[in-house]
Amino acid sequence: MRLSLPVKVGIMSLLFLTLFLTGCGFLSGSLSEPAPKPEIGPTGKPVESKPNPPFIERFFSAPVELYDLEATAGVVFEGVNKEDWSQVQSGITNLQALWQQAKAAVGDKKGVKEADAAMEELTAAINGKKVTGSYESLIKFMGSVSDIGKSYKLSPIADIIAVSNGIRNVSFFVEDKNWPKAAAKVKELQGTWEKVKPSMEQIGVWGEVTKTHATVNQMKDAINAENKGAFEEQQATINESMGRIRQFFRGK
């Protein structure tokens, strides 16, 4: 059966319209907003995640409160490690106040919720004078502060805290003369330091970075020799170097 021209045109128009509408539906689905996060997955609830900050915001300097939290964490850790609870109480009071200021400065960034939870654990452990619990909670809290610091790409605060947490880990087990654990932790510290060192290599602080590099290696030697006195000498050196590095970048 031969179709007339008007009929052929009508059929072609109908086919075109069908394909067009199908294509529009496909495109509208692919270009629309992503599907909402499911409430449950194969093994439970999905991880609560924060969106990445706007591109330009990632290049702001980190608030000085994050650097001050790191400085005050050293005071708290020293008190916990020496079981000087008067120093710990003074330190935690300052740390809590700084944390409230830091939260106001950083806003709703990834790591804030986790740091809040760790601060509660830390406060409870300190009130109970629990050495290990206080140490572990402090490490967890500062780890979350480091996560916050990763939002600020121009500031090495996240790397500084990572190294400082590594040093605290080593020091805690040396104080207890748990040499196998200390050896494992100093190996972790070396790996962390090698990874983040380039972020701190700037004119004005290069000498302290070089000194820190040498000190990390010397700390490892002291631990392998199970020499607490030699380790404490290197610890004093790295305290000064990392403190100078922290102050150099604070506010930049």
XYZ file of all heavy atoms in Angstrom, residues 193-194 196-198 200-218 234 237-238 240-242 244-245 249:
271
model
N 55.731 12.800 58.742
C 56.614 13.940 58.526
C 57.077 14.010 57.069
O 57.063 15.086 56.452
C 57.817 13.870 59.465
C 58.838 14.922 59.166
C 60.082 14.742 58.646
C 58.684 16.337 59.334
N 60.713 15.954 58.482
C 59.876 16.952 58.901
C 57.642 17.138 59.818
C 60.062 18.320 58.928
C 57.825 18.520 59.847
C 59.029 19.097 59.399
N 57.485 12.883 56.507
C 57.951 12.873 55.117
C 56.839 13.333 54.173
O 57.095 14.008 53.179
C 58.417 11.464 54.735
C 59.697 11.023 55.416
C 60.918 11.778 54.924
O 60.817 12.477 53.888
O 61.976 11.671 55.565
N 54.223 15.430 54.885
C 53.749 16.810 55.026
C 54.866 17.850 55.004
O 54.589 19.044 54.884
C 52.936 16.977 56.335
C 51.815 15.952 56.408
C 53.815 16.867 57.577
N 56.115 17.426 55.110
C 57.240 18.370 55.178
C 57.226 19.410 54.063
O 57.464 20.597 54.327
C 58.567 17.598 55.172
C 59.810 18.469 55.275
C 61.035 17.632 55.608
C 61.486 16.769 54.462
N 62.252 17.524 53.435
N 56.939 19.034 52.809
C 56.960 20.050 51.743
C 56.010 21.220 51.978
O 56.285 22.341 51.528
C 56.552 19.249 50.499
C 56.988 17.849 50.798
C 56.743 17.676 52.270
N 55.559 22.837 54.587
C 56.114 23.782 55.561
C 57.423 24.407 55.095
O 57.960 25.289 55.777
C 56.345 23.070 56.895
C 55.103 22.402 57.451
S 55.456 21.557 59.014
C 54.102 20.388 59.071
N 57.959 23.967 53.971
C 59.259 24.442 53.512
C 59.121 25.807 52.838
O 58.890 25.908 51.639
C 59.877 23.414 52.560
C 60.270 22.127 53.276
C 60.802 21.070 52.318
O 60.306 21.010 51.171
O 61.688 20.305 52.713
N 59.261 26.835 53.629
C 59.186 28.207 53.134
C 60.333 29.027 53.702
O 60.845 28.736 54.793
C 57.848 28.852 53.526
C 56.643 28.252 52.828
C 55.394 29.084 53.027
O 55.454 30.274 53.349
N 54.252 28.471 52.827
N 60.724 30.040 52.958
C 61.760 30.958 53.429
C 61.276 31.617 54.710
O 60.156 32.097 54.797
C 62.070 32.030 52.368
C 62.664 31.376 51.118
C 63.010 33.095 52.918
C 62.859 32.325 49.953
N 62.125 31.633 55.710
C 61.763 32.209 57.005
C 61.602 31.153 58.072
O 61.698 31.443 59.264
N 61.355 29.906 57.630
C 61.188 28.822 58.605
C 61.904 27.557 58.127
O 61.792 26.506 58.748
C 59.676 28.568 58.830
C 59.068 27.792 57.675
C 59.405 27.874 60.154
N 62.663 27.689 57.061
C 63.333 26.540 56.462
C 64.261 25.846 57.465
O 64.329 24.611 57.531
C 64.128 26.974 55.229
C 64.505 25.832 54.317
C 65.450 24.870 54.530
C 63.925 25.533 53.047
N 65.506 24.002 53.486
C 64.585 24.378 52.557
C 62.935 26.124 52.280
C 64.269 23.803 51.311
C 62.619 25.550 51.047
C 63.277 24.413 50.582
N 64.978 26.646 58.237
C 65.923 26.068 59.203
C 65.236 25.198 60.237
O 65.754 24.133 60.612
N 64.069 25.622 60.707
C 63.336 24.833 61.701
C 62.792 23.537 61.097
O 62.732 22.508 61.761
C 62.187 25.654 62.290
C 62.624 26.916 63.024
C 63.553 26.634 64.211
O 63.528 25.504 64.750
O 64.300 27.558 64.585
N 62.405 23.608 59.827
C 61.935 22.400 59.139
C 63.079 21.398 59.012
O 62.910 20.193 59.262
C 61.355 22.751 57.748
C 61.035 21.486 56.955
C 60.105 23.608 57.903
N 64.257 21.903 58.637
C 65.435 21.034 58.523
C 65.795 20.431 59.875
O 66.124 19.238 59.977
C 66.629 21.842 57.978
O 66.287 22.383 56.692
C 67.862 20.968 57.841
N 65.715 21.249 60.922
C 66.034 20.762 62.269
C 65.030 19.690 62.709
O 65.402 18.679 63.315
C 66.022 21.926 63.257
C 66.535 21.560 64.652
C 66.368 22.720 65.632
C 67.149 23.933 65.230
N 67.036 25.039 66.227
N 63.753 19.916 62.404
C 62.729 18.939 62.765
C 62.978 17.615 62.063
O 62.831 16.540 62.657
C 61.323 19.462 62.409
O 61.076 20.665 63.145
C 60.256 18.444 62.750
N 63.359 17.681 60.798
C 63.639 16.461 60.034
C 64.741 15.639 60.712
O 64.611 14.418 60.871
C 64.058 16.836 58.612
C 64.310 15.656 57.729
N 63.293 14.924 57.165
C 65.472 15.060 57.339
C 63.806 13.937 56.451
N 65.132 13.991 56.536
N 65.804 16.317 61.111
C 66.910 15.618 61.771
C 66.480 15.077 63.128
O 66.861 13.959 63.519
C 68.104 16.574 61.929
N 65.685 15.837 63.841
C 65.267 15.436 65.184
C 64.385 14.198 65.161
O 64.488 13.329 66.028
C 64.532 16.589 65.890
O 65.365 17.755 65.869
C 64.219 16.237 67.330
N 63.495 14.113 64.173
C 62.641 12.920 64.059
C 63.498 11.670 63.920
O 63.236 10.638 64.563
C 61.670 13.053 62.855
C 60.981 11.721 62.570
C 60.635 14.131 63.130
N 64.538 11.743 63.105
C 65.437 10.600 62.933
C 66.189 10.283 64.223
O 66.391 9.110 64.575
C 66.430 10.873 61.802
C 65.740 10.940 60.445
O 64.743 10.258 60.215
N 66.273 11.760 59.547
N 66.600 11.320 64.951
C 67.321 11.107 66.208
C 66.403 10.535 67.295
O 66.838 9.763 68.155
C 67.962 12.422 66.658
C 69.128 12.832 65.749
C 69.518 14.290 65.913
O 68.906 15.035 66.683
N 70.535 14.711 65.174
N 65.750 15.110 72.571
C 65.241 15.345 71.227
C 63.815 15.893 71.268
O 63.425 16.711 70.427
C 65.282 14.045 70.412
C 66.664 13.439 70.266
C 67.693 14.436 69.737
O 67.373 15.275 68.886
N 68.913 14.357 70.243
N 63.956 19.548 71.749
C 64.353 20.212 70.508
C 63.187 20.325 69.535
O 62.943 21.384 68.938
C 65.508 19.439 69.835
O 66.634 19.408 70.717
C 65.920 20.105 68.523
N 62.444 19.232 69.391
C 61.338 19.253 68.432
C 60.180 20.113 68.937
O 59.434 20.702 68.142
C 60.870 17.814 68.104
C 60.272 17.782 66.695
C 59.884 17.273 69.130
C 60.057 16.385 66.140
N 60.573 22.944 70.443
C 60.948 24.306 70.062
C 60.765 24.523 68.556
O 60.191 25.530 68.128
C 62.393 24.591 70.449
C 62.843 25.994 70.076
C 64.265 26.305 70.508
O 64.859 25.479 71.234
O 64.776 27.364 70.117
N 61.224 23.564 67.758
C 61.144 23.717 66.307
C 59.705 23.762 65.815
O 59.328 24.637 65.025
C 61.894 22.567 65.616
O 63.275 22.653 65.875
N 58.881 22.829 66.283
C 57.488 22.809 65.846
C 56.727 24.022 66.375
O 55.818 24.529 65.717
C 56.810 21.515 66.300
C 57.239 20.270 65.527
S 56.946 20.369 63.735
C 55.150 20.545 63.676
N 58.059 27.006 66.747
C 58.447 28.112 65.862
C 57.737 28.013 64.510
O 57.324 29.024 63.937
C 59.965 28.113 65.670
C 60.749 28.538 66.907
C 62.241 28.536 66.636
N 63.010 28.868 67.817
C 63.266 30.107 68.234
N 62.815 31.131 67.531
N 63.977 30.308 69.321
N 57.611 26.793 64.006
C 56.905 26.591 62.741
C 55.443 27.001 62.883
O 54.876 27.694 62.024
C 57.015 25.110 62.293
C 58.455 24.787 61.892
C 56.053 24.821 61.146
C 58.729 23.309 61.670
N 53.479 30.337 60.792
C 52.322 30.268 59.902
C 51.052 30.834 60.520
O 50.073 31.078 59.805
C 52.076 28.814 59.486
C 53.092 28.290 58.508
C 54.070 27.397 58.908
C 53.076 28.704 57.185
C 55.008 26.917 58.010
C 54.012 28.234 56.275
C 54.975 27.337 56.691
